[in-house]
Amino acid sequence: MLKSIDHLIVAVRDLDLAETNYTKLFGKPPVWRGAHNELGTINSIFNFENTYLELLSGYGHGPGSAFVSRTLEQNGEGLTGIAFGTEDMNRVVRTLKTKVHGIYEPSKGEGCNFLDGRVRKWKTLFLPAKLNRGLFSFVIEHSDGDLHWQPMVNETAVYRLDHIVLKTYDANGFIDIFKDVFDIRLALDKTIDKLKSRVLFFRLNETTIEVVEKKEENRDKLWGLAWEVKSIEATRNRLLDQGIDVTSIKEGLKENTLVATIKSHTHNVPTL
């Protein structure tokens, strides 16, 4: 039913600044700069092997602009939305209607790339409160046009998303929705002593959705991102040369992995 984490959304106040910062972080430029005129938003998109990242800012008037303004006022900049990809929106709607009430009909969207004039069209299914758990989340099917694919620039560039981290006060609630409704595979459910937390690992299109249960949390939240590179040492050196604050390299929680935390230029998105 759901095929991928289609894209992730980061709400920002200044799109030009955020685009500049993320170009430095990723080691490559965006493939898209456009607008959702009917929503009152502008965006910049970075494309990867298994997903894309959308920087989103308000522009003029519209429901999208109001959403971004409200998000920035309440939470500041940061990871704001997650979109699940499908190749068959009609099937998704039919399946979800057999499991829960209140499934909306999909809406149509269209965007034009200011960089090259390309047009993309899509269908979007916004998820009801029972399924979104207070998170801005939706299902999308791209119906016409695509994003320009960038070949690997060099070994220091980010090329794919390893995992996204969500925080919750109720891990079982995510099992009820992600596993039982969305049919996303639950690969692991365990308590990690080092984190002092129960952690769920869902797998979708060889990408991990990590849900960390913290009883002190009062709401669910999209939290952080972990990206993959070919050479973490070379990438860290590049980032330091560009004035980006990066921690030392250390062993990750996952066996045979090395990680470094980016401490600046992320617009409030915890980033590995």
Side-chain angles (χ1 to χ4, degrees):
M1 183 170 66
L2 302 180
K3 297 297 184 181
S4 66
I5 299 173
D6 184 82
H7 66 280
L8 303 161
I9 302 170
V10 176
V12 298
R13 292 186 173 87
D14 184 333
L15 187 64
D16 290 334
L17 176 61
E19 184 180 281
T20 297
N21 285 337
Y22 271 91
T23 296
K24 292 179 180 179
L25 289 178
F26 293 143
K28 61 182 183 180
V31 299
W32 182 280
R33 177 73 181 250
H36 309 106
N37 291 322
E38 73 281 7
L39 298 177
T41 56
I42 51 176
N43 64 347
S44 179
I45 292 175
F46 294 83
N47 202 14
F48 303 95
E49 185 179 280
N50 58 340
T51 192
Y52 67 85
L53 182 81
E54 177 182 12
L55 303 175
L56 186 68
S57 188
Y59 179 74
H61 301 283
S65 180
F67 165 75
V68 172
S69 295
R70 184 171 63 253
T71 298
L72 293 174
E73 180 179 348
Q74 293 177 350
N75 306 317
E77 294 184 311
L79 191 56
T80 302
I82 181 170
F84 298 101
T86 183
E87 296 175 352
D88 189 346
M89 183 65 80
N90 291 332
R91 180 191 172 204
V92 170
V93 173
R94 288 196 307 269
T95 301
L96 291 182
K97 282 184 176 180
T98 66
K99 297 184 177 183
V100 295
H101 296 292
I103 298 299
Y104 314 124
E105 291 301 315
S107 59
K108 294 182 179 180
E110 179 177 315
C112 180
N113 191 352
F114 299 159
L115 301 177
D116 58 16
R118 291 188 183 193
V119 174
R120 293 189 303 134
K121 298 179 181 180
W122 55 84
K123 299 175 185 177
T124 301
L125 176 67
F126 290 101
L127 298 171
K130 187 174 181 179
L131 297 182
N132 65 33
R133 293 187 57 87
L135 305 175
F136 181 56
S137 56
F138 53 93
V139 180
I140 187 169
E141 178 187 0
H142 296 280
S143 54
D144 189 26
D146 53 22
L147 293 173
H148 174 67
W149 171 246
Q150 292 173 306
M152 175 66 71
V153 178
N154 55 53
E155 67 177 0
T156 74
V158 172
Y159 74 97
R160 78 186 311 273
L161 177 72
D162 185 80
H163 64 275
I164 175 176
V165 181
L166 287 69
K167 288 188 176 182
T168 184
Y169 59 92
D170 176 21
N172 289 331
F174 272 93
I175 294 176
D176 292 342
I177 294 173
F178 279 15
K179 177 178 176 291
D180 298 337
V181 177
F182 294 159
D183 198 27
I184 300 174
R185 183 170 69 91
L186 177 59
L188 190 66
D189 177 356
K190 68 178 296 186
T191 297
I192 298 180
D193 293 336
K194 191 171 183 180
L195 296 179
K196 298 179 180 179
S197 301
R198 180 185 177 192
V199 182
L200 311 177
F201 292 90
F202 295 93
R203 293 284 288 171
L204 185 61
N205 190 34
E206 299 183 359
T207 309
T208 299
I209 304 171
E210 179 181 330
V211 179
V212 181
E213 185 179 66
K214 296 283 189 180
K215 293 299 185 181
E216 64 270 21
E217 294 288 342
N218 57 12
R219 64 181 179 89
D220 297 328
K221 63 181 69 172
L222 300 165
W223 191 68
L225 300 173
W227 300 96
E228 286 192 42
V229 296
K230 295 294 185 182
S231 171
I232 190 169
E233 184 175 354
T235 301
R236 180 174 182 273
N237 289 336
R238 172 181 65 79
L239 294 172
L240 291 172
D241 288 343
Q242 292 181 300
I244 295 173
D245 187 8
V246 190
T247 66
S248 300
I249 297 171
K250 64 178 183 180
E251 291 185 358
L253 289 176
K254 184 178 177 181
E255 189 175 355
N256 298 321
T257 61
L258 296 174
V259 300
T261 302
I262 299 176
K263 306 293 285 185
S264 66
H265 294 69
T266 66
H267 293 264
N268 203 34
V269 180
T271 303
L272 286 180

